[in-house]
Amino acid sequence: MTSTAGDDSTRSTLAEIAGEAGVSVSTVSKVLHDRSDVSSKTRAKVQRLLEQYGYLARNSPPTSQLRGGLIEFVINELDSPWAVELIRGAEEALHGVGMGMVVSATHGRTKLARQWLDSLATRPTRGAILVVPELTAEQHEELRRLAVPFALVAPIEEPAPGVPWVGATNWPGGFAATRHLIELGHRRVAIISGPARRLTSRARVGGYRSALEEAGLPFDEELVRYGDFTHGLAHQHALDLLRLPDRPTAVFAGSDHQALGTYRAAASLGLRIPEDLSVVGFDDLPFADWVTPRLTTVRTPLAEMTALAARMVLQLIAGDQPETTRVEVATELIVRESTCPPEAAEGGAGSEGSGNPRAEGGATG
């Protein structure tokens, strides 16, 4: 008979599980009660031990319903650290319940997306995690017809009511990044965002704009560029911005890859980062801590997003509805070495009315 959570033997067993997992008893209890404030890696490790000891986390589907079969993980592109982090989060969550995962890349091509849907009937697919810009009505209907439960991650638009999806707090992230630059004394702050039609891009630009308004600074369309979250187009946008007669002293890039494109543009024009140009990225991919100077960026818990999407799909497989079908994980500004107060360059941008904290004896970042 399985022990109940209130007797001495249960507390003793939880302590043994905690010891084996190398975590505290309270962490084991959080996993047991399906609390969200536990990392996906720790959760997977503890869940495996809970199963071995005869426990199941509250609201988790019974193991017998989950063993066997595959979860499809569909993503637009595979060749980036961003994709690796997303795949890692889903794999860890699914491994914890003994579920396999198949990864497919569509590369933005309708034909490949169609081929993926056609292949579903040939595999023991139990559910799908979709990290694709958008799900067409035809694809949605096909998944429904095949009875494949799914969850979206970072969709291009807010899905229809009832469709499970996970995103990030992009507006607060954009606000925090821009406010950080303003507080350093920057008054000409540019933004290079992703595609204009994407929800994430618009939200980050919205946060940027609100931070300017809060500081009493004008929103200048000339300082706004939309790209594709890659470094190539960002490099060209950054060159255009930095060649303006009254160039920006700071750039908020909508992704870490776009920040790298900005680094390259600044170097080609002989500008130093951060002395001549401050740069903030978005995502906090591993290389953000490796480049020189180390990149100030907005951390997006990518692995946590896909782990949450995986748990939504597992609940649907078990015939349960997630408590909420819309989840946004918190972003966090990580300040490193690519931002500082603007230099009062001779005749350069930002020297007039820049509010330079360094010149005024304020914080130097």
Side-chain angles (χ1 to χ4, degrees):
M1 182 176 70
T2 302
S3 300
T4 61
D7 59 32
D8 292 338
S9 63
T10 296
R11 285 191 291 271
S12 175
T13 305
L14 292 181
E16 292 175 17
I17 293 172
E20 283 194 43
V23 299
S24 66
V25 174
S26 64
T27 297
V28 175
S29 179
K30 288 178 181 179
V31 176
L32 183 64
H33 293 86
D34 205 27
R35 289 271 300 277
S36 61
D37 51 340
V38 180
S39 72
S40 57
K41 183 176 182 179
T42 299
R43 180 182 298 277
K45 183 193 300 183
V46 173
Q47 282 180 330
R48 285 195 296 271
L49 290 168
L50 285 169
E51 290 180 13
Q52 291 173 20
Y53 279 83
Y55 288 90
L56 287 174
R58 184 181 299 174
N59 297 327
S60 292
T63 305
S64 60
Q65 290 182 273
L66 296 179
R67 294 288 178 185
L70 299 169
I71 299 296
E72 303 275 339
F73 186 99
V74 186
I75 191 168
N76 190 39
E77 300 288 348
L78 286 172
D79 54 349
S80 74
W82 185 80
V84 171
E85 285 297 297
L86 291 166
I87 293 169
R88 180 176 65 83
E91 193 279 331
E92 289 176 352
L94 296 172
H95 181 73
V97 295
M99 186 75 75
M101 187 171 84
V102 174
V103 178
S104 302
T106 64
H107 303 290
R109 300 174 193 167
T110 303
K111 181 179 179 181
L112 290 178
R114 178 70 257 175
Q115 288 174 349
W116 168 74
L117 277 171
D118 290 342
S119 69
L120 281 182
T122 68
R123 294 197 288 264
T125 300
R126 306 287 300 279
I129 300 166
L130 307 178
V131 192
V132 293
E134 58 186 328
L135 187 69
T136 66
E138 177 190 8
Q139 292 166 340
H140 192 167
E141 176 59 26
E142 183 69 4
L143 288 167
R144 188 197 65 77
R145 187 184 70 79
L146 294 171
V148 175
F150 65 91
L152 302 175
V153 178
I156 192 170
E157 293 283 358
E158 185 166 338
V163 174
W165 67 280
V166 181
T169 54
N170 291 290
W171 187 98
F175 184 88
T178 310
R179 184 169 63 179
H180 167 67
L181 293 167
I182 293 170
E183 288 177 345
L184 286 173
H186 295 278
R187 296 298 177 264
R188 292 278 290 171
V189 180
I191 181 170
I192 303 174
S193 191
R197 63 188 294 257
R198 291 202 65 162
L199 180 63
T200 52
S201 304
R202 297 197 306 273
R204 292 171 194 180
V205 173
Y208 158 85
R209 185 168 189 162
S210 294
L212 293 175
E213 292 174 351
E214 181 189 65
L217 298 175
F219 176 77
D220 186 349
E221 292 281 0
E222 187 179 40
L223 298 181
V224 180
R225 297 289 191 278
Y226 290 96
D228 56 7
F229 289 132
T230 66
H231 68 276
L233 187 53
H235 171 251
Q236 186 57 55
H237 282 323
L239 284 174
D240 293 342
L241 289 164
L242 297 177
R243 286 170 174 158
L244 291 173
D246 186 16
R247 69 165 180 85
T249 61
V251 172
F252 166 35
S255 74
D256 292 343
H257 286 284
Q258 289 179 309
L260 289 189
T262 304
Y263 270 40
R264 179 181 162 210
S268 68
L269 297 175
L271 297 174
R272 302 163 300 165
I273 297 173
E275 293 86 355
D276 302 318
L277 180 72
S278 285
V279 179
V280 179
F282 209 106
D283 286 331
D284 195 28
L285 297 174
F287 66 74
D289 200 34
W290 305 340
V291 296
T292 303
R294 296 164 64 238
L295 180 64
T296 294
T297 187
V298 177
R299 176 174 293 163
T300 304
L302 299 170
E304 181 182 341
M305 289 167 62
T306 47
L308 286 169
R311 288 199 283 274
M312 282 182 171
V313 172
L314 293 175
Q315 283 186 290
L316 291 168
I317 291 171
D320 298 326
Q321 285 297 315
E323 291 183 9
T324 177
T325 56
R326 169 180 174 167
V327 178
E328 290 186 305
V329 297
T331 52
E332 177 187 6
L333 178 68
I334 306 298
V335 178
R336 296 194 180 101
E337 298 158 2
S338 65
T339 53
C340 76
E343 293 286 346
E346 296 178 4
S351 59
E352 180 179 349
S354 67
N356 188 337
R358 183 175 294 168
E360 297 171 1
T364 62

